[in-house]
């Protein structure tokens, strides 16, 4: 009896028969796995993608993120700017003719990009980059939007962590060198939101402060913002208590005008603001993106930022109207994390996993996710401008290529192992690369 259903010959039978293969799944891929991969990859390369998490922009643009990398932070092997794959990216995107990035050769790349920016002025340059990647739209997770990104193709996701830091932050800023970089940037961001709302000083009481927060959310939404983003794991543990309104009120009264709150007091106030923000995310139909992975900076605390710390919030019925996107899918705890997507309002984004890992390992992550909740996972690159020579462009390319290859490889194994048909695999590919994410935003994105 022939159990395998992974060839084109029996393809129509699979559609008629079932979404699954024609028999029991088997534990190893067959000798056809390479052929299936070769057949799937060109189809997957052509699927117009929605990049659910990225930081597009030029290296000298300070608004690419609401925070910055601490100096001398360690970087995992593949995420270093000497990764030779980035040269392959420059060749693919710009026809870079050299195989190293010596200062002399790097000048060629900088000049080539300058020339293209003149040829494709305004928003046309980054639109061209998306076209080269078969990416239809890419989230721009940025402090503010610049005039050189087309809002139709780069929907804005704005940062909300700064609302957690309205008091005197000297204790937190002094905690370690990373916080010394991060916390002042949060203070700056809060100040920018205040400027935006013409608020010159912190409101007198908590109701005034919450009103100000809601006003920023509403205004950012009407300016095109599609979601709010927390990077909270960089700044404090992601275990959130559940203080009462009265407790938060009292803390605001005590510290809004000055004085350094104790660590426990500050966290308790932040717990209240965090819960207020995610509730507002439900009311305003603004999905909530949360950084859930190891992060940059040597002091990033993985156990305190562990995605599973969020479980009590995600499974709390009070927040069932809020859509949550777990950015970076909890990496390197993605195996546990996928089970959080059992909640109807919780999604996992795979960005950064495809850069931190090589495609051989990322393929296994994707396969495990596709075998669990294929309708709850989304594609993202986490692209970021590395430096003046290697920009968001090369990073976009590496993220998109790696994801498409790993996706084709994961699906090829699933077909060859008789888990799904080839037709079903292509549905999964469309869902992961585009459809699952787009559905979260109604008609606000494409
Ligand atoms: Zn990011």
């Amino acid at each position: 009896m022939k159990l395998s259903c992974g060839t084109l010959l029996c393809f129509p039978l699979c559609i008629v028969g079932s979404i699954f293969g024609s028999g029991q799944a088997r534990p190893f891929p067959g000798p056809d796995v390479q052929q299936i991969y070769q057949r799937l990859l060109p189809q997957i390369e052509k699927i117009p993608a929605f990049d659910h998490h990225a930081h597009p922009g030029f290296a000298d643009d300070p608004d690419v993120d609401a925070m910055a990398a601490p100096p001398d932070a360690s970087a995992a092997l593949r995420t270093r700017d000497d990764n030779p794959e980035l040269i392959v990216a420059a060749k693919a995107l710009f026809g870079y003719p050299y195989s190293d990035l010596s200062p002399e050769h790097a000048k060629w790349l900088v000049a080539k990009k300058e020339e293209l920016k003149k040829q494709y002025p305004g928003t046309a340059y980054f639109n061209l980059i998306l076209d080269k990647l078969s990416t239809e739209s890419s989230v721009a997770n940025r402090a503010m939007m610049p005039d050189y990104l087309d809002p139709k193709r780069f929907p804005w996701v704005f940062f909300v962590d700064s609302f957690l830091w309205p008091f005197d932050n000297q204790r937190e800023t002094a905690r370690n060198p990373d916080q010394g970089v991060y916390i002042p940037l949060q203070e700056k961001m809060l100040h920018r939101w205040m400027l935006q709302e013409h608020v010159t000083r912190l409101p007198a009481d908590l109701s005034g402060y919450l009103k100000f927060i809601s006003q920023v959310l509403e205004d950012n939404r009407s300016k095109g913002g599609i979601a709010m983003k927390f990077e909270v794991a960089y700044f404090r543990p992601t275990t959130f208590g559940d203080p009462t309104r009265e407790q938060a009120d009292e803390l605001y009264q005590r510290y809004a005008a000055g004085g350094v709150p104790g660590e426990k007091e500050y966290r308790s106030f932040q717990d209240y603001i965090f819960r207020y923000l995610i509730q507002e995310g439900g009311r305003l139909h603004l999905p909530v993106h949360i950084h859930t992975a190891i992060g940059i900076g040597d002091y990033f605390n993985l156990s305190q930022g562990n995605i599973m710390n969020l479980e009590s919030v995600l499974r709390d019925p009070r927040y069932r109207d809020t859509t949550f996107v777990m950015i970076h899918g909890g990496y390197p705890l993605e195996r546990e994390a996928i089970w959080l997507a059992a909640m109807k309002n919780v999604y996992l984004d795979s960005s950064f996993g495809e850069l931190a890992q090589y495609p051989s390992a990322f393929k296994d992550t994707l396969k495990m996710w596709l075998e669990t909740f294929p309708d709850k996972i989304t594609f993202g690159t986490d692209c970021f401008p590395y430096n003046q020579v290697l920009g968001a462009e090369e990073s976009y390319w590496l993220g998109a290529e790696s994801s498409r290859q790993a996706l084709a490889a994961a699906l090829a194994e699933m077909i060859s192992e008789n888990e799904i048909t080839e037709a079903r695999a292509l549905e999964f590919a469309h869902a992961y690369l585009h459809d699952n994410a787009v559905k979260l935003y109604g008609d606000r994105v494409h």
Side-chain angles (χ1 to χ4, degrees), residues 53 80 92 111 121 126 134 169 180 224 239 241 281 321 335 337 341 373 427:
H53 182 73
R80 296 177 193 166
F126 266 100
S134 303
N169 295 310
T239 315
D321 291 339
R335 180 171 282 276
F373 290 113
E427 281 173 29

Side-chain angles (χ1 to χ4, degrees), residues 53 55 141 229 328 382:
H53 182 73
H55 306 274
N141 185 197
K229 161 88 183 294
H328 317 315
D382 201 20

Side-chain angles (χ1 to χ4, degrees), residues 53-55 65 141 159 229 231 234 291 327-328 349 351-352 381-384:
H53 182 73
H55 306 274
D65 205 336
N141 185 197
F159 293 96
K229 161 88 183 294
E231 303 183 300
Y234 277 100
H291 171 103
I327 300 293
H328 317 315
D349 149 79
S351 68
F352 178 66
T381 58
D382 201 20
C383 85
F384 200 91

